[in-house]
Each structure stands twice: as C-alpha cells, then as structure tokens.
Amino acid sequence: EVHLVESGGGLVQAGGSLRLSCAASGFYFDDYAIGWFRQAPGKEREGVSVITSGDGSTYYADSVKGRFTISSDNAKNTVYLQMNSLKPEDTAVYYCAAQDGLRSSYYYRPFDGMNYWGKGTLVTVSS
C-alpha cells in the first residue's frame, strides 16, 4: 500500500518561498502519479500540481503557474513542491496524493483519480 508523508509547511510572509516534501513508498505499479492538493478554510480541495513517474510530465493549476514547481528525486522517493512568490490566498492545508497505476483518463484529467492521501501540512502566508 502506498504511504505518503508531507513535510515543509509553515508560516511565511507574502512574496516569500517554501518547499514542501512528500516522501512516498509502497507503489505496486511502475506507472504512477504524485500530486499536491490544497484546501483553504471554507473552500473545496483543489489540485495544485501533479508529476508523472516515467515520463516526468507535470501539470499545474492556473493559479500557481509560474510560481510553483513540482519535481521528484527518485533516489529519495520524494516529490517536492517549490513555492515562490507566495500570496495570502495560497494559505491552505497542502496534501500529497498519489494514483498507483495510471487511469486511462489520466493525461486528460491528471488531478482526478488519486487513491492515496497524506495527512497534510499547513502553509500560512501572511500579508
């Protein structure tokens, strides 16, 4: 079973940077995806970014394009989310999620179908 552990959240001023880490283990399939989602108080959870094993393709929500970068270190089985130029509206609990074995619709809807979730890490951006 896939196990995901997030770290790196905290408090930062607007315009600052943070890097989140997701340590992942237990994948059964060779093809999988790991992504970051977030949920702000009173709002629905939304996809932030996803990276695909193998071809390394990446996807981003429009709200974070140009500011956030997702990457992976396969030797460490860790996925990172580098967040720059943070805004107060980025404040949320950030969750790492994974899809073990890619669905046929993955490349059309990469944020859908995650079947494993971490416990989350809080990111607070002060104005």
Side-chain angles (χ1 to χ4, degrees), residues 56-113:
S57 54
T58 58
Y59 304 89
Y60 295 92
D62 289 342
S63 59
V64 306
K65 282 181 181 177
R67 300 189 298 123
F68 291 10
T69 302
I70 192 169
S71 63
S72 64
D73 184 334
N74 294 331
K76 296 182 178 180
N77 295 320
T78 300
V79 170
Y80 304 98
L81 185 68
Q82 178 66 45
M83 305 185 295
N84 299 328
S85 302
L86 282 161
K87 304 175 181 180
E89 52 263 43
D90 294 317
T91 294
V93 176
Y94 283 70
Y95 298 92
C96 181
Q99 184 178 144
D100 190 12
L102 300 180
R103 294 155 57 109
S104 58
S105 60
Y106 170 76
Y107 287 100
Y108 298 96
R109 302 179 68 175
F111 291 112
D112 291 354

